[in-house]
Amino acid sequence: MKKVTPTLVSLGFLLVLVVMSASAWIPYKSMETLLASEERVRHTNEVLLALDGVHIAIAETEASIRGYQLTHRGDNLYRARFSRRVLQERLQEVRELTADNPEQQLAIVALEQLISRKLSVMLRASNLKDNALESEDLADNLSFEVADALEEMPDGKRKRARVVAIDPALIEQSTFLMEQIREQIASMRHMEEQLLADRSLLVKVNTEASFRSFLLTILLNILIACALFYYVVKNFRQREEVETAATAQARILGSVLENMSDGVAVVDTQGRLTLHNPALEHMLGSGISRISPEAWQEQLEVTRADGVTPFEAGEFPLRQVLDGDNRSEAEMLLRRLGTRQPATIRISVRPMTSARGDTDGVVAVLTDVSASARAAQDNRLLNQKLTQGLEQLEKQNFEVSAINDMSSLLQSCNSVMETCRVLQKSLAKLFPDIEGAIYLIKASKDYLELVETWNTGNGTLVASFDTENCWCLKRGVPHLVNQPEADIVCNHLEQNGIDQFSASVCVPVMTNAEILGMLLLRITRSDTGKVGKLPDPAFLATIAEQAGLAISNQRLRESLRMQSNQDVLTGLFNRRFLDTVLPIELAQAQRLEQPMAVMMLDLDHFKKLNDQFGHAAGDDVLAKLGGLLRKLLRSSDLPCRYGGEEFALLLPGANEEIAMHCAERILEGVRKMTVLTGGQAIMNLSVSIGIALYPEHAEHSAELLKRADACLYEAKHSGRNRAVMAMSHGSSEPQ
């Protein structure tokens, strides 16, 4: 069972005080609630009395006015005026008493309106003015009829006149209003009586709750007092057992300290050694007890485990815990007293706290780990070598695998730009922490252009530069810069400032002594001051060599592909290219749901031109026509020489309007075309054009060509020098 502490006893007594205070406070609050409830009951009774006063006052006012109707005596009018004032006072009293009740306030307003109407009707029925109950002068209170009667008295004195002019309708209306006033007062009384019943019930409920709370607090006080008495008695019995156990534990602790292999030192808050075991003397040297722990660092020449770095002021574990840390552990190298032999010691320091939670000092446990430290150092060196070897091997395997993958991908590329993209992805994978770029030399051979980059964050690279601005291109070997401030830096890197990078390497991409491009790798300066490492330039040269072979092969393939698909005379695509690309363009138009136009174009009277000027002149005309078509067509259009003087034009995305506009431009351009050949000028040339549209006229390549060719012959037969559009789908005749 948990030991009863003085704190627990204090908390128990505090709890009793709280419960007793609560037992006094609860009746007080209950009494306060009862008084408040009774006050509300009294208030309700006052409202009921005030309502009764209103009823009585209105009745007395009505009786006085009716007395005046019968007798026309002034004292009845005076009594009515007095009753009216009493009525106003009672209404004001009701209004003030029910100020917190919005419903009653509305009822008061309605009651006042009924009373006002009632008094007004009664006054009119008595031939009195509306202000009759306000004025003190009797003559001022009379209606004009009564006043005239008084003026006609023979002796000129004011005497009471008996003028009876009562309207039965006013009497009936007065009676009806009185009934409404009674009903309104009864309604207000009913509301107050309901409030009185509710408040009386609340008084009863609060009284019963207060009684039960009082009994419960008394019972709790008795139970808590009994429990505290029980635990206090038991605590006295346990104290003797604890003292006996503490004595036994002290003996055991002393035996443990005597036989421990680890050194134990107890230091008080003043830094004095108050307790230690023999193992501490054996570990640190005899006479250690005569040296203050504050002087251990100096006397034992204590350093960190590396044997070089000293502990700074306040960093020694003993001092850290004495200064308030919860714990401190460290390994240190020291020299034993007397022998000066080095030893590696692990020290662990914890604070000692009293029962009150105050720090009385620290406990330091020292373990000699010299043998394990030497073994650990040997293991670390061995593991470091093994780790470095494994990392190097993994790096080599990764590089070989990446190079093989890159070579395989480069062999499958279909263009130079695709080759550059593969290089960019492969190099970004090989050097993920290094900024890089790929430059290709332009056809003019005098400058390079940026085509691909990777890892370019805040740094900037020039988009193009002259071949004379890079040392690797001038020398034909990689150019490495490890210190931009001291080494020779290429001009294209200096343009953006050498403060942007900490190291760079430029590697030429060449094949057969021909420069094809350049690889640039550089390490951007970091805000943290961390500097990376560039890869081996020889390794980069191997990559550049493969890149050069791949780019050279792609350019050779593109040249051969162009030669096989290009007509030498006109510079346009040939029939072979048309047969290959037309189904592809049709499939794309179908996928994108776009139109496409096919034109068949033929030079008019070309045989006559050859016979008159010669075949060389005919070739010049065909070449000039090819140049004109390249100039007039859009970049997405594909002009082809179909054979002889016949041409085929593919216009992706062109509808009937675009196709006819293009045909008209061609017709106009040919008519204005002049060809100089053999000292002669050939003019007045013309062409005939046949046009077929996808999908309006045909949906297959062969059918499209057939429909366009049929329109071409129609243009020839119709007089040449014109364009003819095919008719709607399914028709065999051009329009």
Side-chain angles (χ1 to χ4, degrees):
M1 184 176 294
K2 185 176 181 180
K3 180 180 178 181
V4 178
T5 63
T7 303
L8 184 59
V9 175
S10 301
L11 290 176
F13 280 111
L14 180 61
L15 180 60
V16 171
L17 291 176
V18 171
V19 174
M20 293 179 66
S21 300
S23 64
W25 179 80
I26 291 174
Y28 168 76
K29 293 301 292 184
S30 300
M31 185 61 67
E32 188 180 38
T33 304
L34 287 174
L35 291 175
S37 300
E38 291 178 357
E39 176 63 23
R40 288 194 290 271
V41 170
R42 184 190 62 78
H43 177 270
T44 304
N45 288 325
E46 290 180 355
V47 174
L48 292 174
L49 289 175
L51 288 173
D52 291 340
V54 171
H55 188 270
I56 292 171
I58 187 61
E60 290 180 353
T61 303
E62 183 182 22
S64 299
I65 294 175
R66 286 186 177 180
Y68 174 76
Q69 289 176 348
L70 297 174
T71 64
H72 282 271
R73 292 173 56 184
D75 57 344
N76 288 329
L77 190 59
Y78 293 143
R79 281 196 300 273
R81 184 181 300 116
F82 175 77
S83 299
R84 169 60 174 167
R85 290 173 183 161
V86 173
L87 175 61
Q88 290 176 344
E89 292 175 357
R90 293 294 179 267
L91 287 173
Q92 180 63 26
E93 184 179 0
V94 173
R95 183 183 294 104
E96 293 175 353
L97 290 174
T98 60
D100 59 344
N101 191 335
E103 294 183 9
Q104 290 288 51
Q105 289 290 303
L106 295 176
I108 285 292
V109 173
L111 180 60
E112 288 179 338
Q113 293 175 353
L114 290 173
I115 290 173
S116 178
R117 291 169 57 192
K118 167 70 176 175
L119 293 176
S120 178
V121 171
M122 291 172 61
L123 291 174
R124 290 199 304 271
S126 302
N127 290 323
L128 295 174
K129 297 179 181 180
D130 289 339
N131 61 349
L133 300 181
E134 306 296 335
S135 174
E136 297 292 339
D137 189 355
L138 179 62
D140 293 339
N141 297 331
L142 300 178
S143 64
F144 291 111
E145 181 181 357
V146 176
D148 293 341
L150 290 176
E151 291 294 336
E152 293 173 359
M153 296 295 295
D155 54 3
K157 297 182 179 179
R158 290 177 178 268
K159 292 184 179 180
R160 184 182 300 111
R162 293 184 176 273
V163 179
V164 180
I166 301 175
D167 188 355
L170 294 176
I171 296 299
E172 183 179 355
Q173 185 178 4
S174 175
T175 303
F176 174 73
L177 289 173
M178 189 63 187
E179 290 298 327
Q180 285 187 324
I181 290 172
R182 291 192 185 99
E183 291 177 0
Q184 184 68 15
I185 293 175
S187 175
M188 295 177 66
R189 285 184 58 83
H190 178 72
M191 291 172 59
E192 291 298 326
E193 289 171 355
Q194 184 64 37
L195 285 175
L196 181 61
D198 294 341
R199 290 169 177 174
S200 299
L201 179 61
L202 182 60
V203 170
K204 181 180 179 181
V205 172
N206 288 337
T207 303
E208 294 176 354
S210 300
F211 181 73
R212 287 195 297 270
S213 301
F214 183 74
L215 291 180
L216 180 60
T217 53
I218 292 176
L219 179 61
L220 286 176
N221 282 331
I222 294 173
L223 291 176
I224 293 174
C226 292
L228 286 177
F229 178 77
Y230 168 76
Y231 280 113
V232 168
V233 171
K234 187 172 183 178
N235 185 44
F236 285 125
R237 293 178 180 176
Q238 290 178 344
R239 183 173 298 176
E240 295 180 356
E241 298 177 0
V242 170
E243 291 176 353
T244 302
T247 303
Q249 289 180 355
R251 288 196 299 269
I252 295 173
L253 180 60
S255 176
V256 170
L257 288 175
E258 290 290 332
N259 295 283
M260 280 184 64
S261 59
D262 293 340
V264 177
V266 179
V267 182
D268 63 12
T269 55
Q270 303 300 320
R272 297 187 297 264
L273 183 64
T274 60
L275 177 66
H276 70 284
N277 64 346
L280 185 69
E281 293 271 355
H282 176 74
M283 189 178 301
L284 303 183
S286 59
I288 191 65
S289 60
R290 296 189 296 273
I291 301 176
S292 170
E294 297 286 348
W296 283 3
Q297 285 184 261
E298 181 180 356
Q299 295 293 329
L300 300 176
E301 301 179 9
V302 177
T303 63
R304 295 187 182 273
D306 59 7
V308 177
T309 308
F311 286 96
E312 299 294 336
E315 289 186 351
F316 194 59
L318 280 172
R319 175 45 54 193
Q320 285 182 330
V321 179
L322 285 173
D323 289 342
D325 288 357
N326 291 329
R327 57 183 296 177
S328 181
E329 295 181 353
E331 281 193 7
M332 57 186 182
L333 184 67
L334 54 81
R335 295 187 179 275
R336 294 184 176 92
L337 289 176
T339 63
R340 315 305 297 167
Q341 292 179 350
T344 302
I345 304 298
R346 180 182 296 116
I347 182 172
S348 177
V349 186
R350 301 289 187 277
M352 290 191 310
T353 56
S354 64
R356 297 186 303 273
D358 300 329
T359 300
D360 292 339
V362 298
V363 177
V365 178
L366 290 80
T367 305
D368 191 345
V369 293
S370 301
S372 59
R374 288 191 295 270
Q377 180 65 20
D378 295 340
N379 288 334
R380 281 195 297 270
L381 293 175
L382 180 60
N383 288 334
Q384 184 177 1
K385 292 180 180 180
L386 290 175
T387 301
Q388 291 176 352
L390 288 174
E391 290 178 352
Q392 186 66 24
L393 182 60
E394 289 177 356
K395 181 180 179 182
Q396 291 177 356
N397 290 336
F398 173 74
E399 290 176 350
V400 170
S401 176
I403 292 297
N404 290 335
D405 292 343
M406 182 182 72
S407 300
S408 177
L409 291 171
L410 290 176
Q411 293 176 4
S412 303
C413 292
N414 293 322
S415 66
V416 173
M417 296 310 298
E418 188 176 20
T419 301
C420 292
R421 284 194 295 272
V422 169
L423 283 172
Q424 183 261 344
K425 297 295 183 182
S426 301
L427 294 177
K429 181 179 178 182
L430 275 170
F431 314 117
D433 300 326
I434 300 177
E435 180 181 286
I438 301 173
Y439 287 87
L440 287 183
I441 196 164
K442 300 304 290 182
S444 59
K445 306 292 184 180
D446 56 350
Y447 73 98
L448 285 87
E449 186 176 48
L450 180 66
V451 293
E452 294 289 347
T453 62
W454 68 91
N455 299 336
T456 52
N458 297 328
T460 56
L461 296 170
V462 295
S464 62
F465 60 90
D466 192 274
T467 55
E468 294 298 321
N469 288 332
C470 183
W471 286 99
C472 82
L473 299 178
K474 291 192 291 185
R475 300 168 60 217
V477 295
H479 183 69
L480 179 65
V481 176
N482 286 320
Q483 296 180 348
E485 293 80 4
D487 295 341
I488 298 176
V489 181
C490 297
N491 291 337
H492 64 88
L493 292 174
E494 285 185 340
Q495 291 181 22
N496 294 319
I498 62 174
D499 57 332
Q500 286 195 1
F501 64 96
S502 59
S504 68
V505 59
C506 299
V507 184
V509 178
M510 305 175 64
T511 179
N512 297 327
E514 180 186 2
I515 297 176
L516 302 177
M518 182 197 73
L519 301 180
L520 170 63
L521 281 80
R522 69 178 187 179
I523 300 175
T524 306
R525 291 187 185 274
S526 173
D527 295 336
T528 61
K530 183 179 179 181
V531 178
K533 184 179 180 181
L534 287 171
D536 184 10
F539 177 64
L540 292 175
T542 302
I543 297 176
E545 182 179 357
Q546 293 195 17
L549 290 175
I551 293 173
S552 177
N553 290 336
Q554 287 302 327
R555 288 185 173 177
L556 180 60
R557 291 176 184 175
E558 290 178 0
S559 176
L560 294 175
R561 190 182 303 116
M562 183 60 69
Q563 292 177 10
S564 63
N565 292 328
Q566 190 175 34
D567 179 64
V568 178
L569 177 62
T570 61
L572 305 180
F573 295 109
N574 55 23
R575 173 80 175 267
R576 175 183 176 185
F577 178 79
L578 175 66
D579 294 339
T580 303
V581 79
L582 179 56
I584 298 174
E585 292 294 332
L586 275 176
Q588 184 174 359
Q590 183 179 8
R591 183 174 63 257
L592 299 178
E593 297 182 355
Q594 293 180 349
M596 188 180 77
V598 175
M599 291 186 183
M600 294 298 293
L601 182 149
D602 188 82
L603 273 168
D604 295 332
H605 306 294
F606 186 69
K607 184 176 184 304
K608 182 179 179 182
L609 185 148
N610 279 333
D611 294 340
Q612 182 178 354
F613 297 99
H615 290 283
D619 291 343
D620 291 340
V621 171
L622 292 176
K624 188 67 175 289
L625 179 58
L628 178 65
L629 292 177
R630 287 196 302 272
K631 179 180 178 182
L632 296 178
L633 294 179
R634 302 171 302 174
S635 59
S636 59
D637 298 336
L638 301 174
C640 305
R641 184 181 180 189
Y642 197 69
E645 71 276 16
E646 192 171 5
F647 297 83
L649 311 180
L650 304 185
L651 281 66
N655 53 20
E656 180 177 352
E657 181 181 356
I658 296 175
M660 286 303 297
H661 179 68
C662 180
E664 291 172 359
R665 291 178 60 197
I666 294 174
L667 291 171
E668 182 67 20
V670 173
R671 282 194 292 267
K672 294 180 179 180
M673 187 174 67
T674 301
V675 180
L676 298 177
T677 177
Q680 301 182 63
I682 302 176
M683 303 173 61
N684 300 322
L685 296 172
S686 65
V687 293
S688 298
I689 302 175
I691 307 172
L693 299 179
Y694 166 85
E696 289 88 340
H697 305 143
E699 296 182 356
H700 301 287
S701 55
E703 188 177 356
L704 266 176
L705 290 174
K706 181 179 179 182
R707 296 296 298 275
D709 194 54
C711 292
L712 172 62
Y713 281 103
E714 177 65 21
K716 290 282 189 181
H717 296 155
S718 300
R720 297 182 173 83
N721 192 22
R722 66 192 62 199
V724 176
M725 177 72 68
M727 296 180 68
S728 60
H729 188 70
S731 176
S732 58
E733 295 297 332
Q735 63 180 3

